[in-house]
Amino acid sequence: MEILGDIILIAITSAIINNFVLHYFVGICPFIGVSRRVDMAFGMGSAVTFVMAIAALLSWTFTYFILQYDAPLTTWIMGLAGAGPVDLTILSYIIYIFVIAASVQLVEMYLRKFQLALYKSFGVYLPLITTNCAILFACLLILTKVTDPKTSWGILPSLTMSVFGGVGFTIAIVIMAGIREELDHCDIPKCLRGPGITLIVAGILAMAFLGFSGVDTNLQTVLGMGAKTVQAAEKPAEKPAEKPADKPADANQPVQTGK
Amino acid sequence: MALDGPTPLERFINGILPENPTYRQVLGMCPTLAVTNGMKEAMTMAGAVAFTLICANIVTSLIRGLLKPHLRILVFTLTIAAFVTVADRVLAAFMFEMSGKLGPYIPLIIVNCIIICRCEVCAAKQGVLAATADAVGQSIGFTLGLSSIAVVREIIGNGSLFGFTIIPEAYWPRWGIMLLPPGAFITLGLLMGGFNLLSARSAKKKKAAA
C-alpha cells in the first residue's frame, strides 16, 4: 500500500503539479514550435513520452550500477584492480547524452522495422527529440534522486516519474495546440503574432497550473500515509513555489522504508 | 578561411541584434525562462553559456574537416557535453550557492538549441576566426536577452537589482507572480512583442528614408 501510494503521488506530482513545461520550463522549443495543430501536438507528445520512458530505464540502469558512488559494477571492476570504490557521476552528462541519442536511434529502427504505420505518424519528430531538454531533464532528475541517500529511488519510481512527466508534457502541448487553433480566428496585434502570443497564453496556462500546488500534501492525507510522512511534506509546503524541486524529495521519503 | 560565408565582423554584429538568439531566433528558451528571476542568476547562466558556446565553436571549427554528415550532431553534442561538465564543476567549486540555485539548468546547456545551431550553421562551415567572432557575438546577444527579462522580473517582482533593494517595499508592493513561472512566460511574450514593434518601426523608417 505504501509503495502504491508513493507511485500515485509521484505520478500526479510529475504530470500535473510540477508539470515539465509549465513549471520547470523544459521542452519549450517543441512547445512553441509544434503546437499549431492538435494532432501534431499529440504525435509529438506521445513520441516524447515513449522515448522518455526508454531513456529513463537505461539511465537508471547506468546510474545505479555504474555511475553512483560505490555502485556494484564499478566497485567490482575496481576491486579487480585492487582499488576502492569510485564516484563516476562526473561522467553522467556525457553518458546521458549517449543514452538519449542511442535510445532515439533504437526506437526509430524498431519502429521502421516492425511498426511502419506508427513510424510514419511520428515522422519528423523522432530525430528532433534527441535535443529535447525534457528528456535530459528527466535523466538528471533520476540522477539526483538515485544518488541522494534520502530518496534512493528504485526503478519503479524512476519509470513512473518519467512516463507521467511525458504525459504532463503531452497534456500541456495538446491544451496549447487547442488554444492556438482557436487563436487563428482572432485579431491579434501584428507584433505579438507567433511566439509572442504563444508565450503569453503559456503564462496564463502556467497560472492555472499553479493552482494545483499543495494538492500533493492533501493527497498524502487522503491516501492515509502515516503521520510522519505528512509532517515531512508540510515543511516544503509552506513555500511551495520557491523551491519546487525539494517537494518530491521530501514527499517520497517513505520509498526507502517501503522496500 | 571563409569560402563564401559572412566575414567574422558580420558574424559578430549579426549575433547581437539582427539575429539575436532570444528574440529573433527564439532558441534556447529553457534558461531564458527558468533562471531570469534575478540578475545574478541570469548573469551566471549567461557566463556559462558563453564559455561553452565559444569553446564548442572553436573545437567544432577545428575538426570540421573530419566530420561525417550523419554523425555530426552526435559529435557536436558530445563536444558540448564535455565543456558543460567543465563549467558545471567550476561553478560547483567556486560558486557553490549559485550552482545549487541553477541546479539542473546548467547541465541542460548541453541541449540548448543555440549552441548546436551555431555549431551547425557557422562553426562546421567556417574557419576558427569567424567561428570565434560568431560565438562571442551570439553570447553577447544571449546575455542581452537574458538580462532584459531578468531586469523586468527582478524589479517588478522583488524591487531589487543584483540582490540590492532599489525600490523600498512601502512604495512598490511586490508582485510575487513575476518571480513564479507565469511571470516568466508573460514577460518574455510582452518583451518579444515590443521588440517586434520596434524593429518593424525602424524598418519602416529605413524604407521611408531610402
Side-chain angles (χ1 to χ4, degrees):
Chain A
M1 182 59 208
E2 195 134 280
I3 293 182
L4 188 68
D6 274 321
I7 296 297
I8 295 174
L9 206 62
I10 292 174
I12 293 180
T13 308
S14 52
I16 296 176
I17 304 170
N18 292 344
N19 190 292
F20 270 31
V21 178
L22 299 172
H23 190 118
Y24 288 124
F25 309 108
V26 290
I28 298 283
C29 301
F31 182 67
I32 295 174
V34 206
S35 59
R36 254 172 222 295
R37 278 175 28 226
V38 171
D39 50 343
M40 273 164 74
F42 190 76
M44 185 72 192
S46 37
V48 166
T49 314
F50 200 55
V51 175
M52 208 188 270
I54 292 166
L57 275 181
L58 285 173
S59 67
W60 183 85
T61 318
F62 274 103
T63 316
Y64 189 81
F65 289 107
I66 297 175
L67 292 176
Q68 68 167 334
Y69 180 71
D70 205 8
L73 199 61
T74 332
T75 313
W76 181 69
I77 293 173
M78 291 307 280
L80 289 184
V86 286
D87 189 357
L88 288 182
T89 41
I90 190 167
L91 291 178
S92 51
Y93 305 157
I94 295 179
I95 300 237
Y96 288 159
I97 278 295
F98 249 127
V99 163
I100 294 169
S103 48
V104 169
Q105 203 63 236
L106 269 179
V107 168
E108 199 178 344
M109 271 151 58
Y110 173 82
L111 286 181
R112 194 160 46 190
K113 185 97 182 148
F114 297 107
Q115 311 270 345
L116 203 62
L118 198 61
Y119 174 74
K120 275 185 185 147
S121 63
F122 278 173
V124 287
Y125 307 128
L126 269 176
L128 276 180
I129 290 174
T130 316
T131 53
N132 186 328
C133 354
I135 295 173
L136 184 65
F137 184 77
C139 293
L140 291 167
L141 217 57
I142 290 172
L143 170 74
T144 41
K145 294 297 182 190
V146 171
T147 48
D148 186 358
K150 254 197 278 175
T151 44
S152 63
W153 273 10
I155 185 116
L156 203 54
S158 313
L159 192 59
T160 320
M161 192 277 291
S162 48
V163 168
F164 280 89
V167 170
F169 177 80
T170 316
I171 292 175
I173 198 170
V174 167
I175 293 179
M176 192 68 216
I179 296 176
R180 279 185 80 172
E181 276 187 358
E182 293 299 312
L183 275 180
D184 283 346
H185 308 295
C186 300
D187 184 22
I188 305 161
K190 205 175 172 192
C191 57
L192 279 178
R193 269 178 212 166
I197 193 75
T198 314
L199 282 164
I200 294 173
V201 170
I204 296 167
L205 261 184
M207 234 184 263
F209 271 73
L210 212 59
F212 285 113
S213 57
V215 170
D216 48 347
T217 328
N218 292 336
L219 256 181
Q220 271 177 337
T221 332
V222 171
L223 290 171
M225 290 157 68
K228 203 180 111 207
T229 326
V230 177
Q231 258 176 12
E234 249 162 31
K235 210 176 86 195
E238 283 169 10
K239 35 178 184 174
E242 278 179 39
K243 268 279 167 196
D246 288 345
K247 220 191 289 174
D250 286 60
N252 298 315
Q253 219 163 336
V255 173
Q256 209 179 0
T257 49
K259 290 242 161 90
Chain B
M1 264 312 297
L3 296 173
D4 47 354
T7 60
L9 188 67
E10 277 170 12
R11 283 283 189 197
F12 175 74
I13 294 171
N14 264 352
I16 298 177
L17 274 184
E19 284 179 25
N20 188 294
T22 307
Y23 292 110
R24 273 270 164 266
Q25 307 181 52
V26 200
L27 290 178
M29 285 290 120
C30 318
T32 316
L33 293 165
V35 299
T36 48
N37 47 10
M39 270 307 261
K40 265 190 200 164
E41 287 93 335
M43 283 297 133
T44 320
M45 189 69 196
V49 169
F51 166 76
T52 318
L53 181 53
I54 294 170
C55 292
N57 248 10
I58 291 175
V59 170
T60 316
S61 167
L62 286 175
I63 60 170
R64 69 187 189 281
L66 306 169
L67 288 175
K68 300 273 178 292
H70 57 287
L71 278 179
R72 66 180 196 291
I73 299 284
L74 190 63
V75 173
F76 296 161
T77 6
L78 287 178
T79 317
I80 298 164
F83 286 115
V84 169
T85 311
V86 173
D88 182 54
R89 291 296 97 196
V90 168
L91 274 183
F94 293 105
M95 303 171 74
F96 184 71
E97 246 175 68
M98 189 50 81
S99 138
K101 258 188 209 164
L102 293 178
Y105 296 104
I106 290 284
L108 281 180
I109 298 176
I110 301 171
V111 284
N112 194 321
C113 335
I114 298 175
I115 303 179
I116 300 174
C117 169
R118 286 343 284 180
C119 286
E120 167 89 24
V121 171
C122 176
K125 289 177 189 142
Q126 288 185 297
V128 181
L129 199 62
T132 318
D134 181 65
V136 174
Q138 292 286 336
S139 329
I140 295 175
F142 184 67
T143 313
L144 281 178
L146 271 191
S147 47
S148 64
I149 302 162
V151 163
V152 173
R153 284 183 72 191
E154 200 179 354
I155 290 183
I156 297 183
N158 213 8
S160 61
L161 206 59
F162 285 102
F164 298 108
T165 311
I166 53 169
I167 313 176
E169 195 152 6
Y171 297 103
W172 184 261
R174 306 297 186 237
W175 292 15
I177 195 91
M178 291 307 275
L179 299 178
L180 298 178
F185 283 115
I186 292 175
T187 313
L188 181 55
L190 290 178
L191 281 177
M192 204 171 268
F195 189 84
N196 285 344
L197 196 68
L198 283 182
S199 53
R201 203 165 278 174
S202 68
K204 209 183 273 173
K205 245 180 222 166
K206 251 180 217 164
K207 217 180 246 174

